[in-house]
Amino acid sequence: DAKTTQPNSMESNEEEPVHLPCNHSTISGTDYIHWYRQLPSQGPEYVIHGLTSNVNNRMASLAIAEDRKSSTLILHRATLRDAAVYYCILIGAGGTSYGKLTFGQGTILTVHP
Amino acid sequence: DVKVTQSSRYLVKRTGEKVFLECVQDMDHENMFWYRQDPGLGLRLIYFSYDVKMKEKGDIPEGYSVSREKKERFSLILESASTNQTSMYLCASSLGGGDHYGYTFGSGTRLTVV
């Protein structure tokens, strides 16, 4: 399975934008880039996903590099409730990685008031 | 909203007991997954299922088995619980592969084996 690399931790101030990077240099052409987050004492929660084009939803934006070897999750205005572990995950649309989420260590995001 | 319900939030069992962890989803999802989460090791896939009566081993299946007799229910079985199976267990379901969103997780079952 293709691997992702994320910083161990990042910090932000409340109401400021946050850019969470992810490197995935071995991504294959059929891999989708998914982001999940896990709040304390809860199961992971879907945030956003994309293939090639940038994506926006009510929670965040996903910026995907043109060569798809990296992506950035953007939280436009961080709140204290955004403090969580953020996981960048590649999921294949077919083949042996079909449908499986393989979690890395993720990025621990701390949001300061 | 899709809901994934795990039968117990906290569970304490004795070494050697047979343990059943139940997971039910209410949106007709095809795929269901069992993970365990441990400090420093992250989330690791134990077993998954793409259809009723179908199962596939994940990355750490040893010591576990699963059952999926109905589409909405996916059970994780510890045949003879051991202390190294003390962990947080998370169930998830999804509609399809990476081109679908909607991987929904339950709140987890914290299992302690004494």
Side-chain angles (χ1 to χ4, degrees):
Chain A
D1 292 337
K3 302 289 186 191
T4 63
T5 305
Q6 300 176 252
N8 290 333
S9 62
M10 291 186 67
E11 296 186 19
S12 173
N13 294 318
E14 205 173 5
E15 298 191 4
E16 289 184 354
V18 181
H19 290 234
L20 297 166
C22 181
N23 288 318
H24 29 77
S25 58
T26 60
I27 190 171
S28 75
T30 57
D31 283 342
Y32 286 75
I33 302 159
H34 281 238
W35 283 83
Y36 284 74
R37 71 180 186 180
Q38 188 173 21
L39 296 134
S41 301
Q42 295 187 26
E45 156 183 56
Y46 167 83
V47 178
I48 200 166
H49 80 288
L51 184 63
T52 57
S53 302
N54 295 345
V55 183
N56 300 299
N57 67 20
R58 63 176 180 84
M59 291 181 70
S61 295
L62 176 60
I64 301 173
E66 197 169 332
D67 63 4
R68 298 206 332 123
K69 293 185 177 182
S70 65
S71 60
T72 302
L73 178 70
I74 302 165
L75 307 178
H76 296 286
R77 290 183 64 189
T79 69
L80 297 178
R81 288 174 294 178
D82 291 322
V85 181
Y86 286 79
Y87 297 98
C88 169
I89 302 168
L90 303 182
I91 306 174
T96 58
S97 65
Y98 179 83
K100 292 195 301 181
L101 294 178
T102 300
F103 288 83
Q105 294 302 310
T107 297
I108 300 170
L109 175 65
T110 301
V111 180
H112 299 289
Chain B
D1 284 349
V2 177
K3 284 190 179 174
V4 175
T5 304
Q6 295 184 229
S7 54
S8 303
R9 190 81 169 104
Y10 298 93
L11 210 53
V12 180
K13 295 292 182 181
R14 295 191 182 278
T15 301
E17 274 193 78
K18 189 170 187 175
V19 181
F20 292 86
L21 302 183
E22 305 289 345
C23 176
V24 177
Q25 51 96 1
D26 67 359
M27 278 299 288
D28 205 33
H29 279 182
E30 298 158 353
N31 307 328
M32 296 189 75
F33 308 82
W34 273 106
Y35 290 83
R36 64 177 283 177
Q37 185 169 27
D38 302 286
L41 296 175
L43 285 102
R44 294 177 291 167
L45 180 63
I46 305 171
Y47 266 97
F48 58 102
S49 170
Y50 290 144
D51 203 350
V52 175
K53 296 191 186 295
M54 177 273 178
K55 61 184 178 183
E56 292 282 346
K57 293 180 180 179
D59 300 317
I60 51 162
E62 296 77 21
Y64 303 95
S65 63
V66 290
S67 172
R68 192 162 180 204
E69 297 296 319
K70 294 185 177 181
K71 192 173 186 179
E72 67 270 19
R73 186 180 296 270
F74 192 35
S75 303
L76 180 69
I77 304 158
L78 288 67
E79 294 289 342
S80 178
S82 64
T83 54
N84 62 14
Q85 293 178 309
T86 291
S87 185
M88 171 68 85
Y89 290 88
L90 289 155
C91 176
S93 73
S94 76
L95 186 59
D99 50 342
H100 292 86
Y101 62 92
Y103 285 77
T104 303
F105 282 80
S107 298
T109 296
R110 185 165 295 280
L111 172 67
T112 302
V113 182
V114 298

